[in-house]
Amino acid sequence: MIYLIAALKGLVLILLLLFAFAYLTWGMRRGLARFQIRLGPNRVGPLGLLQPIADAVKAIFKEDISVAKADVFVYWLAPVISFTFALAAFAVIPLGPEGSLFGLDPWVADLDVGILYIFAVAELAVYGIFLSGWASGSKYSLMGGMRSAAGLVGYELALGVALLGPVLLVGSLSLRDIVDWQGTHGWLLVWQFPAFVIYFIAALAEMGRTPFDFVEAEQELVGGFSTEYNSMKFVAFYMAELLHWITASALIPTLFMGGWHAPFGLPEVPILWLFVKWLVFIFIVMWIWASWFRTRYDVMIRFAWGVLFPVALAWFLATAYWVASKGGAV
Amino acid sequence: MKPNIDVPLPEEPRELRSELMVLNVGPQHPSTHGVLRVVVTLAGEEIVDLVPHIGYLHSGFEKTMENRTYNQNFTYTPRMDYVHSFAHDLAYALAVEKLVGAQVPERAETIRIILNELSRIASHLIFVATGLLDLGAMTPFFYAFREREAILDLFEWVTGQRFHHNYVRVGGLKEDVPEEFVPELKKFLAGFLAKVDDYQGMFDGSPIFNSRARDIGVIPPEVAINLGLTGGSLRASGVNYDVRKAHPYGGYDKYDFDVPLGTHGDVYDRMIVRLEELRQSHRIISQAVERLEPGPIRDPNPHISLPPRQMLGRSMEALIFHFKLVTEGFHPPLGEVYVPTESARGELSYYIVSDGGSMPYRVKIRTPEFVNIQSLAYASKGHQFADFIAILATLDPVLGGIDR
């Protein structure tokens, strides 16, 4: 029974994520259009709300073209890897307090190593991009794949070390514990502001959004890793990319902004507050996307190793010293 | 194709040998600004060698123009540089006018300058829009195109066309501007400078833009001169050469404007120089609008200009001149002519040889893009592939002009 419920919850979550993906494509295009004095999709259905469905139908019925030079097995495997691991990360994010979902817990899994799980899954998703770059048999794709692998070496360390501070402070790797801790002590954003900034920058790099969209870089690499992909294989990559955005926008509030807890003493409503915070981060990322330039990947790596990582490390040591002087986690 | 590489590779152990990668960029690529093909040799992402291959848009304009009468050729001139198309109209008209000795009336000269500078603004807006787009910023593109659209509307009003105006004639203009043009133009000019500040605000001061643009693709002044670079890219290197100032033509000496100069000759300077030229063009147009007095818009010489339509029913001579001009055109004296002009991209001119016939014997077009593109390799070598895209964008190629 317990497995059945977990499987059902997983299924519902996947459907929700796919729905969020579909309407993020719409919201993103409408939102960007507002920044760019244009209208965005508004023809299909009221306010263009049926646009994602039209896009899906179009993608599914497109002829599936493979590249002659491609390594066929890996070429097909890459989008699957990307998509699967992008979906998986959301499983450990708690959406509300225990038993708030019709008597069930509103999360798929409560791992005691939740943060490690998220790191592992996020890193594996990069393999999809890297492999697609390798298997496409195209130089542009190869360069995109190389950039993504090189970028990973850059930001991932800062991403990991930035989270060590909050973990030390809370004394747990479980996302549920982190949220509960913030329920009593206040947002980690206040306690761990440098960690938040570093994590946010590194998360932008992880989701491959402006200013770190050099993996895709339409103007240079013609789409980078996804140059040679079309129809549903391309959609799988696109989904993965947007799911990273969706997951990170839920993860950052969970880690630093009290998760599902209501902010500023407002009444607690399950799931609603996390949704609001999620929308805020979706918007911030879109805002950055509309206003910033693309960095070069070597500049980004230098920045990650030269600034982000040392600062993260110093902050971690400072936190460790403080926690030790208090005699253990707060 | 074998890349031409004279850079020695470091000796490495057998199992760690690295290879250079030859990457074919274009002719179908989102950032080559047309159908430019560049074969790039990369070590990792660093550019070792670079060879532009041109000719994908070759249309044989020069040869075609030898088989059309002088006034018919105005159909072809704007099609070479479809971004700053009025400059070609003007350059060709000035050359032919010098050949036949036509006198352009004051009003026609002023209107030409207004339209030429408007077209320059439209061209520089494309430069700013696509230049920033190539650096990954999507939004400025739409803002710059908003103003460009307003300019194209003005052009449509005056000439009936948005790009390929066919509005200039030897000795003047096809017809006068509509009455509503000047008030609409003033409305456009009133809001324009604030918008230029907006564009500048979208990139100037951004640390990411600085890291992408400063000290990237530096062309020192002496190298720029040796490579024949002209236009904004030359001035970004600090060389004060603007044909409008150096060899004034078409009445530009009557206007008061500055020539913006850069100091480093990098991507950043090339961007800023173009932006400042937007302001200077605005200044020229503002002065020209004030100078606009009613008057004739064509040289009254009946051997060059068509007589007014209403004269045809009343004057025998008018009918004869009309018939001769329409059926075979005018016959310039023997000779050759070269009038340099300043297009948005640099020194543009038509070298025309006349054998006394009604069609040019030879037309050679000195397009600035064609000459400027040869500095691409110099500016890009040693930089990253991503920088190459930015350098290409700031050299402002228009493939119609390169391939002709």
Side-chain angles (χ1 to χ4, degrees):
Chain A
M1 191 60 193
I2 193 162
Y3 295 110
L4 189 66
I5 287 173
L8 269 178
K9 280 198 287 196
L11 190 67
V12 168
L13 185 71
I14 287 175
L15 291 177
L16 272 178
L17 282 175
L18 292 185
F19 183 79
F21 155 74
Y23 277 89
L24 185 57
T25 62
W26 174 84
M28 163 184 104
R29 288 158 75 184
R30 295 284 293 187
L32 275 180
R34 292 281 158 216
F35 284 107
Q36 296 168 348
I37 48 169
R38 52 193 179 90
L39 294 171
N42 66 350
R43 298 285 104 182
V44 193
L47 294 173
L49 273 171
L50 298 180
Q51 186 70 39
I53 296 163
D55 286 344
V57 170
K58 174 183 171 244
I60 291 167
F61 284 102
K62 271 217 157 188
E63 186 189 355
D64 192 66
I65 301 167
S66 280
V67 190
K69 275 189 175 175
D71 181 334
V72 178
F73 177 70
V74 185
Y75 180 71
W76 277 87
L77 183 68
V80 177
I81 291 180
S82 240
F83 176 56
T84 314
F85 289 112
L87 266 183
F90 212 95
V92 291
I93 297 178
L95 304 180
E98 233 171 316
S100 64
L101 187 77
F102 312 115
L104 299 171
D105 299 337
W107 53 77
V108 175
D110 173 28
L111 295 179
D112 52 2
V113 289
I115 287 180
L116 293 184
Y117 168 79
I118 281 177
F119 279 155
V121 168
E123 246 107 309
L124 280 169
V126 175
Y127 271 91
I129 292 173
F130 187 55
L131 288 177
S132 74
W134 176 251
S136 288
S138 152
K139 288 169 183 170
Y140 287 113
S141 304
L142 183 67
M143 282 167 80
M146 285 306 293
R147 282 182 182 193
S148 108
L152 176 79
V153 176
Y155 66 77
E156 204 59 57
L157 209 61
L159 192 78
V161 175
L163 279 193
L164 283 179
V167 166
L168 266 185
L169 205 60
V170 176
S172 166
L173 283 165
S174 155
L175 286 173
R176 207 180 119 209
D177 291 344
I178 291 177
V179 173
D180 288 345
W181 186 91
Q182 292 180 85
T184 49
H185 294 80
W187 287 5
L188 270 170
L189 179 72
V190 183
W191 291 80
Q192 293 276 325
F193 187 71
F196 165 75
V197 173
I198 293 164
Y199 185 81
F200 183 67
I201 295 173
L204 274 179
E206 190 178 24
M207 59 182 118
R209 285 275 142 224
T210 308
F212 304 116
D213 57 344
F214 46 74
V215 176
E216 213 178 314
E218 156 141 27
Q219 283 80 25
E220 298 151 24
L221 302 184
V222 208
F225 64 96
S226 61
T227 306
E228 306 295 344
Y229 283 86
N230 76 332
S231 82
M232 279 315 276
K233 292 203 294 294
F234 172 74
V235 174
F237 273 124
Y238 199 64
M239 274 185 187
E241 199 179 302
L242 261 60
L243 283 171
H244 279 301
W245 182 4
I246 291 171
T247 309
S249 300
L251 196 59
I252 295 170
T254 304
L255 288 170
F256 291 100
M257 293 169 71
W260 47 263
H261 286 293
F264 317 119
L266 292 164
E268 295 274 6
V269 185
I271 302 183
L272 173 79
W273 288 115
L274 186 64
F275 183 69
V276 170
K277 292 169 188 173
W278 178 76
L279 280 181
V280 168
F281 273 92
I282 290 276
F283 177 76
I284 289 176
V285 171
M286 191 152 67
W287 191 359
I288 291 173
W289 189 12
S291 14
W292 283 9
F293 292 83
R294 179 190 306 122
T295 55
R296 241 166 40 202
Y297 84 109
D298 59 320
V299 172
M300 181 262 168
I301 294 171
R302 204 174 304 135
F303 176 68
W305 278 92
V307 180
L308 289 186
F309 177 59
V311 172
L313 201 62
W315 180 254
F316 159 63
L317 290 174
T319 312
Y321 179 77
W322 192 77
V323 170
S325 69
K326 299 278 277 186
V330 184
Chain B
M1 205 203 75
K2 246 184 129 167
N4 170 27
I5 304 146
D6 45 10
V7 182
L9 279 178
E11 284 292 319
E12 283 177 63
R14 233 182 122 76
E15 52 275 7
L16 274 178
R17 177 156 320 153
S18 60
E19 276 179 38
L20 296 178
M21 181 166 83
V22 178
L23 184 67
N24 181 40
V25 184
Q28 313 298 338
H29 185 281
S31 298
T32 51
H33 294 240
V35 284
L36 178 64
R37 174 174 169 230
V38 185
V39 175
V40 185
T41 310
L42 296 166
E45 286 224 11
E46 193 185 314
I47 290 176
V48 178
D49 193 31
L50 177 156
V51 183
H53 291 244
I54 60 172
Y56 287 86
L57 204 59
H58 178 61
S59 325
F61 281 119
E62 292 179 357
K63 194 69 193 165
T64 312
M65 289 173 82
E66 289 167 16
N67 294 291
R68 299 287 182 276
T69 65
Y70 285 93
N71 265 332
Q72 281 175 339
N73 277 338
F74 283 109
T75 320
Y76 297 97
T77 48
R79 281 166 169 78
M80 269 163 269
D81 182 347
Y82 33 79
V83 185
H84 185 185
S85 41
F86 203 85
H88 274 257
D89 288 346
L90 189 57
Y92 175 73
L94 286 168
V96 179
E97 278 156 11
K98 194 171 172 189
L99 197 61
V100 297
Q103 297 299 318
V104 183
E106 175 88 24
R107 182 174 171 85
E109 221 170 41
T110 315
I111 292 173
R112 280 178 178 188
I113 282 180
I114 292 176
L115 293 182
N116 191 33
E117 293 305 313
L118 271 181
S119 193
R120 188 190 310 277
I121 290 178
S123 169
H124 280 345
L125 285 177
I126 290 241
F127 175 91
V128 173
T130 57
L132 296 181
L133 184 69
D134 286 347
L135 287 170
M138 238 192 313
T139 309
F141 187 86
F142 295 95
Y143 285 83
F145 264 63
R146 179 182 56 184
E147 270 67 68
R148 180 178 154 78
E149 197 59 31
I151 292 175
L152 293 186
D153 284 348
L154 284 173
F155 267 111
E156 195 175 354
W157 216 333
V158 176
T159 70
Q161 295 284 333
R162 286 154 62 84
F163 279 19
H164 306 312
H165 313 303
N166 197 2
Y167 180 64
V168 180
R169 290 289 179 274
V170 175
L173 302 167
K174 188 178 82 181
E175 59 197 4
D176 209 336
V177 292
E179 247 173 61
E180 307 90 337
F181 173 68
V182 173
E184 285 298 321
L185 178 65
K186 280 182 175 161
K187 229 184 274 174
F188 171 78
L189 291 175
F192 185 66
L193 282 182
K195 286 170 180 155
V196 177
D197 293 340
D198 279 354
Y199 309 141
Q200 187 154 11
M202 280 187 227
F203 68 87
D204 207 5
S206 154
I208 300 177
F209 180 78
N210 280 346
S211 79
R212 290 298 307 272
R214 293 223 191 235
D215 295 323
I216 301 293
V218 178
I219 306 178
E222 57 282 1
V223 178
I225 292 171
N226 287 345
L227 286 171
L229 201 64
T230 48
S233 307
L234 176 71
R235 293 190 286 276
S237 297
V239 183
N240 189 350
Y241 178 69
D242 185 324
V243 183
R244 288 176 295 176
K245 285 273 191 204
H247 311 287
Y249 60 91
Y252 268 110
D253 45 345
K254 297 173 200 153
Y255 295 90
D256 179 30
F257 63 98
D258 298 328
V259 179
L261 294 178
T263 45
H264 296 94
D266 52 10
V267 168
Y268 180 85
D269 276 356
R270 290 199 277 274
M271 191 65 85
I272 289 288
V273 161
R274 258 53 168 241
L275 213 63
E276 192 52 46
E277 283 187 14
L278 286 178
R279 298 193 177 104
Q280 296 303 330
S281 289
H282 176 273
R283 207 168 139 196
I284 295 173
I285 300 174
S286 308
Q287 294 169 36
V289 172
E290 297 307 318
R291 296 175 69 99
L292 208 54
E293 300 285 343
I297 45 116
R298 247 181 280 176
D299 186 354
N301 182 356
H303 291 279
I304 297 168
S305 307
L306 286 176
R309 187 78 206 172
Q310 66 271 22
M311 291 287 286
L312 294 189
R314 284 188 270 137
S315 158
M316 186 55 135
E317 283 75 22
L319 193 61
I320 293 170
F321 280 126
H322 186 274
F323 179 75
K324 291 293 275 182
L325 278 175
V326 170
T327 50
E328 60 174 326
F330 52 80
H331 294 253
L334 279 174
E336 47 195 85
V337 67
Y338 180 93
V339 182
T341 66
E342 181 78 23
S343 110
R345 265 154 280 285
E347 183 173 329
L348 162 77
S349 47
Y350 282 66
Y351 170 67
I352 300 172
V353 181
S354 159
D355 60 352
S358 63
M359 298 167 191
Y361 175 74
R362 172 81 173 97
V363 178
K364 163 79 179 79
I365 309 156
R366 195 261 187 218
T367 47
E369 307 90 326
F370 176 70
V371 184
N372 288 356
I373 201 73
Q374 66 183 344
S375 23
L376 180 63
Y378 176 86
S380 304
K381 271 182 199 172
H383 287 294
Q384 298 274 316
F385 181 66
D387 295 332
F388 153 68
I389 300 293
I391 294 165
L392 178 62
T394 52
L395 286 175
D396 204 6
V398 167
L399 271 293
I402 293 178
D403 295 339
R404 298 197 292 283

